[in-house]
Amino acid sequence: MTVSLHLTATPDPAEEAAARGALREANAEAGFPHDSRPLCVLLRDGQGQVVGGLVGRTGWSWLYAENLAVPPALRGAGWGQRLLAAAEAEARARFCIGARLDTYTFQARGFYEKQGYRVVGTIPDCPPGQTRFTMIKRLDAGEETR
């Protein structure tokens, strides 16, 4: 088979799907089929417009919280806690055993720790001058959360 490299910042959807598909096939052969499902908890204003929320997915029995945003005017009123709790409840309904997310020194590590998440990994200088924290929380009853 002859192959070549092609670098692009603008792959078409079919090209991106083919590239991702190669890894999905390898994972499936190893016994881990693709089972990712979107999970979104939205914050809407009085006009029904989305003003924040939690965007993530579940797969391989874990919740991956990819983005949690509460507008500045609503911070401190418990909306972040409610968004996270709703996502965790849905993840449990989908038989997830844990939740994973990333946050940064300039974001909300303390907030997540108050919700029972703990740091399991760090990447210094990501972005430069800051630290990226990978955090998890067990959702099953078998392990104490900290």
Side-chain angles (χ1 to χ4, degrees):
M1 171 189 331
T2 302
V3 296
S4 63
L5 293 175
H6 177 79
L7 176 65
T8 179
T10 56
D12 70 43
E15 291 171 325
E16 189 170 337
R20 290 181 187 277
L23 181 58
R24 287 182 180 155
E25 287 175 21
N27 290 345
E29 288 175 10
F32 297 96
H34 181 71
D35 68 350
S36 181
R37 290 177 55 199
L39 190 154
C40 232
V41 184
L42 304 175
L43 263 179
R44 295 184 186 271
D45 66 13
Q47 289 72 44
Q49 297 297 312
V50 175
V51 296
L54 183 146
V55 177
R57 61 187 170 81
T58 58
W60 292 348
S61 299
W62 279 76
L63 164 64
Y64 298 88
E66 298 166 351
N67 184 286
L68 189 151
V70 175
L74 298 177
R75 291 183 188 154
W79 288 108
Q81 182 179 5
R82 286 184 282 238
L83 287 166
L84 203 51
E88 290 171 3
E90 176 60 20
R92 284 185 184 97
R94 296 181 186 187
F95 305 103
C96 290
I97 63 169
R100 176 195 180 280
L101 57 84
D102 290 315
T103 192
Y104 300 85
T105 47
F106 59 89
Q107 288 182 333
R109 176 182 171 182
F111 163 77
Y112 292 116
E113 288 173 331
K114 289 178 186 173
Q115 309 314 308
Y117 286 76
R118 62 187 171 89
V119 173
V120 294
T122 61
I123 304 173
D125 284 325
C126 179
Q130 303 294 322
T131 300
R132 179 178 182 161
F133 302 99
T134 297
M135 304 182 81
I136 65 166
K137 177 180 179 180
R138 291 298 296 218
L139 300 177
D140 56 354
E143 183 177 311
E144 178 184 325
T145 59
R146 295 184 223 172

